[in-house]
Amino acid sequence: MDTLEEFDQPTGPEKSAGAIISHAFEMYKGVFLYAIAAVLISFAVSLLVQPISGFNSADMMEEIKSSEGSFPNLWSIPRFGLYSGLSGLVSLLSAPLYVGLIYITNKYNLQESIRFSDLFIGFRQNFLNIILYSLITSILMVISAMLCFLPVFLILPFFLLGYPILLFENASFSEALGKSFSIAKENYGTFLGSSFLGLLISAAGIFLCGIGIVFTMLFYLVVMYSAYCAFCGRPRPIMVKI
């Protein structure tokens, strides 16, 4: 009986960029409302940063205008340091929320019952490693962007499986980095294509009067899930910590 149930379960896509994106589309159609909720929650929290920090955006505009074409000295603006620090903290704390969307996508793929609280599983399971992974990858991406914008696209595929590995395998941040890098290195063309197309679709909402980004922004996370299914197989059940 268990064997028959195993065959009834949905399978992942083939190991090609086209199949991964197609699979992600099918998954996203079922979870996009949760993706919108995650974006709105992150946006609502980020709105609190400016009043809490006491930072005045008008001061930044004045500094930019007075710089007369040279690079503005943003750190001279009162409370800019605190504002930047709090903004960075909010970005890090959004990572477990995004991992929750991957968890919901898996439940949708397995035709399991979904609860809104599933969106917050990353705060209850492997929280510290998710935060550390997000911090390290963000630093690496910033360094790449400072060198030249192109390297960002070249190294992004190496991080494609990180969040799913952290969630489904309860791995440490170093294990997630190592495994994601190893698989991407062996299948770089597929990972590059999947990452590029996933980012392109995620950013497509900008062209829908700007606000459309709310509907497409987190599509890339579902691409992560589809890529994980393609290269690592169907995720094992998660024992959720209460």
Side-chain angles (χ1 to χ4, degrees):
M1 187 66 179
D2 291 340
T3 303
L4 291 176
E5 290 179 355
E6 183 79 9
F7 279 106
D8 287 339
Q9 295 291 346
T11 57
E14 296 179 358
K15 297 179 180 180
S16 68
I20 289 170
I21 295 298
S22 179
H23 184 267
F25 261 123
E26 291 302 314
M27 295 297 100
Y28 195 71
K29 286 190 296 185
V31 304
F32 77 95
L33 290 178
Y34 294 98
I36 293 172
V39 171
L40 292 179
I41 291 171
S42 297
F43 181 68
V45 174
S46 66
L47 288 179
L48 300 175
V49 172
Q50 185 168 330
I52 290 175
S53 66
F55 171 72
N56 188 346
S57 58
D59 293 337
M60 184 172 70
M61 296 304 298
E62 286 297 322
E63 174 62 26
I64 293 174
K65 289 179 181 178
S66 63
S67 63
E68 297 180 349
S70 60
F71 192 80
N73 183 15
L74 298 178
W75 295 104
S76 66
I77 303 173
R79 301 279 184 169
F80 179 77
L82 179 59
Y83 172 75
S84 299
L86 289 176
S87 296
L89 180 61
V90 169
S91 296
L92 285 177
L93 291 177
S94 295
L97 190 65
Y98 298 155
V99 168
L101 180 62
I102 296 175
Y103 178 56
I104 285 176
T105 303
N106 183 56
K107 294 189 76 172
Y108 174 77
N109 189 30
L110 299 180
Q111 302 174 10
E112 296 177 354
S113 176
I114 299 173
R115 297 176 298 176
F116 186 76
S117 60
D118 291 332
L119 199 56
F120 303 95
I121 188 175
F123 293 95
R124 308 192 301 272
Q125 177 140 325
N126 216 8
F127 173 77
L128 182 59
N129 280 300
I130 292 171
I131 293 296
L132 288 173
Y133 180 87
S134 179
L135 176 62
I136 292 171
T137 54
S138 296
I139 291 173
L140 292 174
M141 295 294 287
V142 169
I143 293 174
S144 298
M146 291 173 63
L147 295 174
C148 180
F149 195 69
L150 181 60
V152 173
F153 293 99
L154 298 180
I155 70 168
L156 190 61
F158 294 111
F159 308 136
L160 189 62
L161 300 183
Y163 283 152
I165 292 172
L166 287 166
L167 173 64
F168 298 121
E169 302 179 20
N170 202 34
S172 67
F173 71 93
S174 59
E175 290 171 340
L177 278 170
K179 183 171 181 178
S180 182
F181 182 90
S182 178
I183 297 175
K185 182 178 64 174
E186 298 297 324
N187 306 274
Y188 186 73
T190 299
F191 275 63
L192 180 62
S194 300
S195 296
F196 180 75
L197 291 173
L199 277 180
L200 200 62
I201 296 169
S202 295
I206 295 176
F207 301 102
L208 302 175
C209 301
I211 196 171
I213 192 67
V214 174
F215 299 93
T216 62
M217 181 177 171
L218 299 188
F219 177 76
Y220 189 77
L221 292 167
V222 182
V223 174
M224 290 181 172
Y225 171 76
S226 296
Y228 182 88
C229 290
F231 287 90
C232 299
R234 187 174 64 235
R236 291 173 294 182
I238 297 175
M239 301 300 294
V240 182
K241 298 178 180 178
I242 306 300

